[in-house]
Amino acid sequence: VRYAPPAGPTGAMAEPGASLKSSLRKSVLKSYRARGRGNNNLWLVYSVKTDSEWILPSDRQLVHWLFYLEANPNVVDFNLTPDPVISHDDEEVRATELDAVAILQNGSEVWHEVKSGMDHKDPNNRSQFLAQSAAASKRHVEYKIFITTLLYNVTLCVQWR
């Protein structure tokens, strides 16, 4: 399975009559507003693997992209803006968004979710984890959750090498 790279830089579609610079500005502004109340950094990165520019909404997402997608030799392709996943659990049908979908050398697909923590008591996190894991199980896809402590440990290992 090959994902088509996003159209234009950072996935921004140039509107008719709008310059590429204007479209890029709108894409960055949309990403900036999507951060919510947090004051996270935005990162504009270029991926050799996807031959695309991506806007990453936090330092956490940057570390995840760098170590688990771009520099991982087992990952041959990835998408940081996958379509929403529809999940049917025992109680409801809902759409949920993954942070990344990776394609490995063996052709298998892995779904990635990047979180600041694993607070299963938070109803939003619990509902999202259940929906994503249920959908992954039904599609026979591996589902991985990357949390801040795991990502922080990776950066510590790199600093001490």
Side-chain angles (χ1 to χ4, degrees):
V1 175
R2 172 82 182 141
Y3 288 105
T10 66
M13 295 283 249
E15 298 172 16
S19 70
L20 187 56
K21 184 177 177 181
S22 172
S23 296
L24 179 58
R25 188 179 301 117
K26 285 181 183 179
S27 179
V28 170
L29 187 57
K30 180 181 175 187
S31 296
Y32 178 80
R33 289 180 178 152
R35 297 179 312 163
R37 294 180 186 211
N39 196 16
N40 296 322
N41 291 319
L42 283 180
W43 295 92
L44 176 62
V45 297
Y46 173 76
S47 167
V48 174
K49 285 186 180 178
T50 64
D51 189 27
S52 301
E53 291 178 328
W54 299 95
I55 296 175
L56 305 176
S58 68
D59 296 346
R60 183 180 312 110
Q61 294 278 0
L62 176 70
V63 172
H64 168 261
W65 167 77
L66 184 59
F67 287 99
Y68 294 100
L69 297 171
E70 191 68 25
N72 184 342
N74 292 324
V75 174
V76 295
D77 194 16
F78 60 86
N79 185 351
L80 296 175
T81 56
D83 291 331
V85 172
I86 304 300
S87 175
H88 307 271
D89 60 20
D90 293 338
E91 298 178 15
E92 64 184 342
V93 175
R94 63 175 288 182
T96 181
E97 294 181 11
L98 297 163
D99 290 315
V101 174
I103 305 299
L104 305 182
Q105 286 181 346
N106 65 8
S108 64
E109 189 173 317
V110 182
W111 292 357
H112 290 202
E113 181 62 31
V114 181
K115 287 286 185 203
S116 60
M118 292 286 291
D119 185 1
H120 290 291
K121 294 178 183 174
D122 179 345
N124 292 329
N125 282 350
R126 180 171 165 69
S127 178
Q128 183 181 33
F129 294 145
L130 289 174
Q132 290 176 348
S133 62
S137 177
K138 287 180 182 176
R139 294 185 188 178
H140 307 287
V141 173
E142 185 178 358
Y143 173 61
K144 290 185 174 183
I145 301 171
F146 298 84
I147 59 172
T148 299
T149 52
L150 173 68
L151 297 172
Y152 179 71
N153 289 338
V154 167
T155 57
L156 283 179
C157 289
V158 170
Q159 289 175 358
W160 287 102
R161 285 186 184 184

